[in-house]
Amino acid sequence: MRPLAALLCLLAALLCLLAAGCTTSRPADAPAAGHGGMDHGAMDHAGMDHGTMDHAAMAGMSTDPSPDVRFMQDMIPHHAQALDMAALVAGRDASRAVTLVAERIRVSQTDEIRRMSRWLTARDKPVPDHHTGHLMAGMLTPEQMAALAAATGPDFDRLFLTGMIQHHRGALTMVDQILDAPGGAQASDVYQLVSDIEADQTTEISRMQTLLPQP
């Protein structure tokens, strides 16, 4: 019986070894089960080149999934062009009415740029450069800006008013887009800013239309 017992023990040991060999082992550098093969520490930065992201935001093409962030990052350079247009008033023999319109725009949109910049900074989001090569809704083309810069007197007034009306209508399109976007402008501070922009631009469009020569 002893030889038989020894044989049985040997067979049992062999079966244990075979069972262990059939078990799949995880390499030391493999991700733990339950994470879908993605290490969360690496996931935070996977494919994220911050220099590239900043450039995309500055180009008015924010890739941020939040509609609020995209709105802020696109509206800052949009407002900046309006400030460039307002700055052209000096030295071009503009009418007093157009000069006053430009000053109101300068004050209101400078304040809104500051608000949007602070909002982005507080959330560690890139604040775009104020001047980009990407034209958002309603923004004047380089040719339109050059024509405005070259004009004086009544011609300047006409180009300024028609150009700024176009520009403001584009801003209202951007307002509609964020209000229609899922989850857009749900926070009270964002909704307040969007509402202020809408009110300012709507009022200014009406004021500028009254200053245009009637056909």
Side-chain angles (χ1 to χ4, degrees):
M1 295 295 293
R2 286 183 181 178
L4 181 59
L7 181 59
L8 290 174
C9 289
L10 180 60
L11 288 173
L14 288 172
L15 289 173
C16 288
L17 288 173
L18 288 172
C22 292
T23 302
T24 303
S25 59
R26 181 173 61 88
D29 59 349
H35 295 284
M38 175 65 77
D39 174 72
H40 285 291
M43 183 170 62
D44 290 343
H45 303 283
M48 182 66 73
D49 182 317
H50 288 287
T52 300
M53 181 178 68
D54 290 356
H55 178 73
M58 285 190 229
M61 296 177 288
S62 172
T63 57
D64 196 287
S66 164
D68 292 351
V69 173
R70 292 198 304 271
F71 177 84
M72 304 288 183
Q73 289 177 333
D74 285 351
M75 190 60 82
I76 286 174
H78 195 280
H79 271 22
Q81 190 187 65
L83 297 184
D84 289 343
M85 294 171 67
L88 290 174
V89 169
R92 285 178 173 78
D93 197 24
S95 67
R96 175 165 175 76
V98 166
T99 301
L100 289 175
V101 167
E103 178 60 17
R104 291 190 188 100
I105 289 170
R106 185 192 67 79
V107 171
S108 64
Q109 300 209 13
T110 296
D111 175 67
E112 287 165 359
I113 286 175
R114 288 173 179 160
R115 289 167 66 185
M116 290 185 285
S117 298
R118 285 195 300 265
W119 188 93
L120 289 167
T121 299
R123 289 154 182 81
D124 294 323
K125 299 296 183 180
V127 177
D129 186 271
H130 288 185
H131 299 89
T132 75
H134 181 74
L135 298 181
M136 273 73 72
M139 289 181 68
L140 273 63
T141 65
E143 293 76 18
Q144 286 178 299
M145 288 294 293
L148 180 63
T152 58
D155 286 341
F156 178 87
D157 288 355
R158 177 181 55 81
L159 289 176
F160 179 87
L161 293 169
T162 56
M164 193 64 82
I165 289 170
Q166 168 192 318
H167 194 275
H168 278 21
R169 284 174 174 163
L172 294 181
T173 295
M174 295 168 70
V175 165
D176 289 340
Q177 289 170 345
I178 187 176
L179 293 177
D180 290 342
Q186 295 299 302
S188 59
D189 57 344
V190 177
Y191 183 78
Q192 184 61 57
L193 175 63
V194 171
S195 298
D196 289 346
I197 290 174
E198 182 178 36
D200 288 344
Q201 311 270 310
T202 301
T203 300
E204 287 165 2
I205 286 172
S206 297
R207 183 180 294 122
M208 289 186 289
Q209 284 175 329
T210 66
L211 297 177
L212 280 171
Q214 299 302 312

